[in-house]
Amino acid sequence: MWIGWIEFDILLGDVHSLKEKRSVIRPLLAETKRRFEVSVAEVGDHDQYRRSRVGAGLVAADRAHLVAVLDAVERFVAYRPEIEVLGVRRRDLHSED
């Protein structure tokens, strides 16, 4: 069993309040979850309206599938026009590690 996750440090564009931040982050989370069938959440910078940390994770039977899904999630988030990705961290572990 393989366990993997990816975390994005995100700068939001023309956002001036936490309410506007939610209007950008919620659709991003929902579409990522729907499209890639991963668990996804805002995992940091909750009180800053122009910054966010978003994490996604999944469990897979083989590493190739895990890497393919994490790569696709990274491309999907990186190409969103309303956000700028400042950094990405990712990790994958085998259950016997």
Side-chain angles (χ1 to χ4, degrees):
M1 175 175 68
W2 286 88
I3 305 141
W5 65 90
I6 188 165
E7 183 181 348
F8 300 94
D9 183 7
I10 294 173
L11 177 65
L12 302 170
D14 191 27
V15 172
H16 303 288
S17 69
L18 291 174
K19 185 176 181 177
E20 288 178 14
K21 175 184 178 177
R22 282 193 308 272
S23 73
V24 173
I25 295 299
R26 279 187 178 168
L28 173 67
L29 299 179
E31 183 63 18
T32 303
K33 182 177 182 175
R34 185 192 68 75
R35 185 176 291 201
F36 303 104
E37 298 181 356
V38 295
S39 296
V40 61
E42 184 178 13
V43 295
D45 294 331
H46 299 284
D47 57 345
Q48 297 179 14
Y49 64 86
R50 293 220 44 228
R51 296 289 294 270
S52 182
R53 289 195 181 271
V54 171
L58 74 146
V59 174
D62 62 88
R63 186 174 186 277
H65 176 69
L66 180 97
V67 170
V69 172
L70 292 180
D71 287 346
V73 169
E74 185 172 357
R75 282 190 305 274
F76 175 74
V77 173
Y79 290 119
R80 300 289 290 221
E82 68 274 15
I83 64 174
E84 179 182 347
V85 176
L86 301 176
V88 178
R89 293 181 344 154
R90 62 191 288 174
R91 182 93 190 261
D92 56 75
L93 296 171
H94 192 268
S95 60
E96 296 176 4
D97 285 350

